[in-house]
Amino acid sequence: MKTYFSLLITVLLLCASCKKQQNSTSKKPKLVVGIIVDQMRYDYLTRFDKKYGNNGFKRIINGGFSLENAHFNYIPTYTAVGHASVYTGTTPVNHGIIGNNWFDKYLEKSIYCVDDTNYSTVGNTSEAGKKSPYRMVTTTVTDQLRLGQNMRNKTIGIAIKDRSAILPAGHTANGAYWFDGGEEGKFITSSYYMKELPSWVQEFNASGKVDAYLSTPWETLYDIATYTESIADDNNYEATFKGEEKPVFPHNIPALRAKNNNYSILKGVPAGNTLTTDFAKAAIIGENLGKSEHTDFLAISYSSTDYVGHQFGVASKEIEDTYLRLDQDLASLFTFLDTNIGKNNYTLFLTADHAATEVPSYLQSLKVPASYFTSRKFLNFLNATTLEKFQSEELILNISNFQIFLNKEKIKELKLNENTVAQTIADEAVKFKGIYKAVTARTMQTTTFTNGILNSLQNGYNQKISGDVLLVPNPSTISYPKKGTTHGSGYSYDTHVPIIFYGNGIKHGSSKKKYEIIDIAPTISNLLEIEFPNGNTGKIIEEALH
């Protein structure tokens, strides 16, 4: 009998303990931190693994839930599109951000994704703050969190790039801040959000941190001889800073800043990420994030990784050093969150807005198929085609972002059939070297592609604003100089990125199942018990959640 009662008491105590644990894990986080690392390939996690410390990337991988087979499911894979897609849970077909810049077929000129002349700069006298998220036509998870709490919480967006701060923060943000380089060297915002900078931003701008980070050369964090995961430092595939003879370490930033637009050089060195981390910490304190009864949201984007990748390429020692230093920045941020928010009081995710291809000229040296696409030669080719087929060289208004925009007025004037012209151009375009596929807007509207590269193309096609013919280049074919690299395709080197969840409400583990970048927003929405973004097409990643 005594044994029975002892067993009963033990069971009751265990049940109470389980219930207590359930209650503690079901409590909503006080702060959600969304981290996007600009141009981060998934293999940066594995390639540099042995050099990472235990408190940065490894901490959230080992203590959180990592998706090893996560991809973007649309074309084009550009910065603005990526940031919008992560936070809206959908693709350009719905959210309307089809590039960083794109040709506006109604205005017949190129436009920038967040430009808005209805607003003015707050923080200095430049034009860099005339911005807003109005071209993004759906809500974000950050919007839904504000709406779900009757606008009583706070949302703040932070990045070096304007678009990377504005789009994640959504339409209802309390503030979005970005770095204005040149002769300014300050974080600014737009009158869309406020009339003047908060005192904590003014104090940060006056602190001298920016000049401090530009006062020393960029040298490798560790002995460069140990950077065996990268190609030789002196090679023909990397671009130099203006004023440099070779793209090699050390990079004398104090001596180079004058020839590289002064404070703007900070964008292209690892210190830009450290500055972003410092500013994020200042925002947490200055805005009292995570201190109220409501859940706040801090959206951080690390932009310098993209600038370094573009200039030096994905196999460079510069990119390796940048990620080793970012690992330390992340470790510092996570420790700060532990101290100021509490280990069980925050949830975060880390992902990228796109990845990048190896430098094509480097691949060519290894006999790997790769090439460069020249828009001018392509336009001449198409003009010759339309002259032969339709007796006119004026049928094409613009070629950009691998899209062709037709001159509708000229087609009408010549009494031609618009669909016939588009299909003829598409049929001829695939004959041009470097073009793999060409599909008309009409095909995008009348055919459903359920998988493959054309499915990605269709997910990125917006009937209202996209072009009349959409192009898919061959793998590792880019429109870019021969030194450095870029992104934008639907191939795995551009689409395969990390997605890591960590903190309150997140399981420990990993998955090799294929997930899409648009699955982040509904997963976070479900964890926070709020409505999905209103254009959402993603799904909940159930295995990541408690």
Side-chain angles (χ1 to χ4, degrees):
M1 181 68 70
K2 185 176 180 181
T3 304
Y4 170 78
F5 280 113
S6 297
L7 181 63
L8 180 62
I9 290 169
T10 301
V11 170
L12 290 172
L13 287 171
L14 284 171
C15 288
S17 175
C18 289
K19 187 173 182 180
K20 184 179 179 182
Q21 186 177 10
Q22 264 189 335
N23 289 336
S24 66
T25 56
S26 63
K27 184 181 177 182
K28 290 183 183 178
K30 305 297 289 182
L31 177 67
V32 178
V33 181
I35 300 173
I36 293 182
V37 182
D38 203 321
Q39 202 188 117
M40 183 175 182
R41 291 163 54 113
Y42 175 81
D43 66 353
Y44 290 160
L45 287 178
T46 54
R47 199 168 118 206
F48 308 135
D49 174 74
K50 292 181 181 179
K51 289 188 173 66
Y52 289 142
N54 292 322
N55 300 314
F57 287 115
K58 285 184 179 179
R59 173 179 171 178
I60 59 174
I61 290 172
N62 296 332
F65 198 91
S66 176
L67 306 182
E68 300 174 2
N69 190 23
H71 290 263
F72 284 88
N73 64 328
Y74 61 79
I75 299 170
T77 44
Y78 295 138
T79 295
V81 194
H83 282 77
S85 299
V86 167
Y87 280 85
T88 62
T90 192
T91 65
V93 69
N94 291 316
H95 62 58
I97 302 297
I98 65 168
N100 297 330
N101 302 274
W102 64 86
F103 183 75
D104 188 312
K105 55 191 175 186
Y106 306 103
L107 299 176
E108 295 190 0
K109 68 175 185 177
S110 180
I111 59 172
Y112 180 60
C113 58
V114 292
D115 273 352
D116 192 341
T117 56
N118 292 309
Y119 300 97
S120 57
T121 304
V122 175
N124 63 35
T125 58
S126 75
E127 301 288 299
K130 293 184 174 183
K131 316 289 179 186
S132 85
Y134 86 97
R135 286 192 172 95
M136 180 172 64
V137 298
T138 59
T139 62
T140 59
V141 61
T142 45
D143 286 325
Q144 296 300 152
L145 183 60
R146 292 272 283 152
L147 292 168
Q149 297 179 110
N150 200 24
M151 309 298 283
R152 293 176 181 176
N153 70 316
K154 287 185 177 181
T155 293
I156 304 293
I158 291 169
I160 292 288
K161 297 179 181 179
D162 49 21
R163 57 188 179 270
S164 304
I166 292 169
L167 297 172
H171 303 276
T172 60
N174 301 85
Y177 304 95
W178 55 94
F179 184 72
D180 189 16
E183 300 304 314
E184 297 290 344
K186 295 178 181 178
F187 279 93
I188 63 170
T189 189
S190 164
S191 60
Y192 176 87
Y193 303 102
M194 62 194 71
K195 294 181 179 179
E196 62 179 5
L197 290 178
S199 58
W200 67 266
V201 180
Q202 296 181 42
E203 290 169 9
F204 188 93
N205 284 335
S207 68
K209 284 182 178 287
V210 177
D211 283 299
Y213 284 131
L214 293 178
S215 65
T216 57
W218 177 13
E219 301 186 36
T220 54
L221 183 62
Y222 306 117
D223 183 352
I224 195 170
T226 67
Y227 284 29
T228 54
E229 296 79 13
S230 310
I231 61 177
D233 192 28
D234 189 3
N235 62 68
N236 294 321
Y237 316 114
E238 302 173 9
T240 60
F241 288 107
K242 292 179 181 178
E244 277 188 326
E245 292 184 4
K246 293 183 177 181
V248 298
F249 280 106
H251 299 283
N252 192 349
I253 302 304
L256 293 169
R257 61 184 288 186
K259 292 184 178 180
N260 292 271
N261 199 17
N262 199 2
Y263 287 107
S264 292
I265 197 173
L266 187 66
K267 300 177 182 181
V269 297
N273 292 328
T274 308
L275 182 71
T276 302
T277 304
D278 291 342
F279 193 75
K281 292 175 182 178
I284 291 170
I285 295 172
E287 296 288 345
N288 290 312
L289 299 181
K291 299 299 182 182
S292 75
E293 59 182 306
H294 305 289
T295 301
D296 296 322
F297 204 117
L298 177 62
I300 307 171
S301 182
Y302 287 103
S303 306
S304 294
T305 44
D306 184 67
Y307 289 103
V308 174
H310 277 297
Q311 181 172 344
F312 297 99
V314 305
S316 65
K317 295 199 184 302
E318 282 79 4
I319 205 72
E320 178 169 355
D321 193 68
T322 297
Y323 276 88
L324 297 182
R325 290 179 180 276
L326 176 60
D327 184 60
Q328 294 189 342
D329 290 331
L330 291 173
S332 172
L333 176 64
F334 300 157
T335 300
F336 183 88
L337 291 169
D338 292 342
T339 302
N340 289 272
I341 308 300
K343 286 189 176 181
N344 296 319
N345 290 332
Y346 66 89
T347 302
L348 67 82
F349 65 83
L350 182 147
T351 188
D353 56 345
H354 53 75
T357 184
E358 295 272 7
V359 179
S361 57
Y362 171 60
L363 293 178
Q364 289 171 346
S365 74
L366 302 174
K367 299 180 180 178
V368 176
S371 62
Y372 292 89
F373 177 84
T374 305
S375 294
R376 173 53 58 185
K377 290 182 179 179
F378 184 58
L379 177 59
N380 292 339
F381 171 82
L382 292 184
N383 282 338
T385 296
T386 58
L387 180 62
E388 177 189 348
K389 304 287 184 179
F390 305 109
Q391 293 74 55
S392 176
E393 294 181 295
E394 302 176 55
L395 301 187
I396 296 173
L397 270 182
N398 178 269
I399 299 175
S400 55
N401 296 338
F402 287 101
Q403 295 188 27
I404 300 171
F405 293 83
L406 299 181
N407 186 339
K408 305 293 181 63
E409 291 299 319
K410 193 65 178 179
I411 291 172
K412 185 177 180 180
E413 177 188 320
L414 295 175
K415 298 181 179 180
L416 299 171
N417 181 280
E418 186 179 312
N419 291 329
T420 300
V421 172
Q423 188 61 58
T424 300
I425 289 174
D427 292 341
E428 294 299 314
V430 292
K431 299 176 183 178
F432 189 80
K433 184 179 179 181
I435 296 299
Y436 175 52
K437 289 183 182 294
V439 184
T440 67
R442 181 68 176 171
T443 300
M444 291 284 99
Q445 296 165 24
T446 57
T447 306
T448 299
F449 299 98
T450 57
N451 53 57
I453 201 81
L454 291 182
N455 172 254
S456 296
L457 194 66
Q458 192 162 49
N459 287 336
Y461 169 74
N462 186 294
Q463 182 179 355
K464 189 177 183 69
I465 54 182
S466 292
D468 301 292
V469 178
L470 288 75
L471 309 168
V472 178
N474 288 334
S476 297
T477 297
I478 62 175
S479 179
Y480 206 71
K482 291 191 176 181
K483 294 180 184 293
T485 194
T486 192
H487 47 84
S489 80
Y491 297 112
S492 61
Y493 53 74
D494 278 339
T495 67
H496 189 196
V497 297
I499 297 180
I500 307 168
F501 296 97
Y502 177 86
N504 185 312
I506 304 300
K507 287 182 182 177
H508 296 180
S510 63
S511 176
K512 299 183 188 301
K513 295 179 184 177
K514 186 172 183 179
Y515 286 100
E516 296 171 340
I517 203 75
I518 59 173
D519 297 335
I520 294 174
T523 300
I524 293 296
S525 297
N526 182 259
L527 182 144
L528 297 175
E529 299 178 346
I530 58 174
E531 184 52 67
F532 293 171
N534 61 13
N536 178 74
T537 51
K539 60 183 179 296
I540 299 170
I541 305 169
E542 295 182 42
E543 58 180 320
L545 301 178
H546 274 300

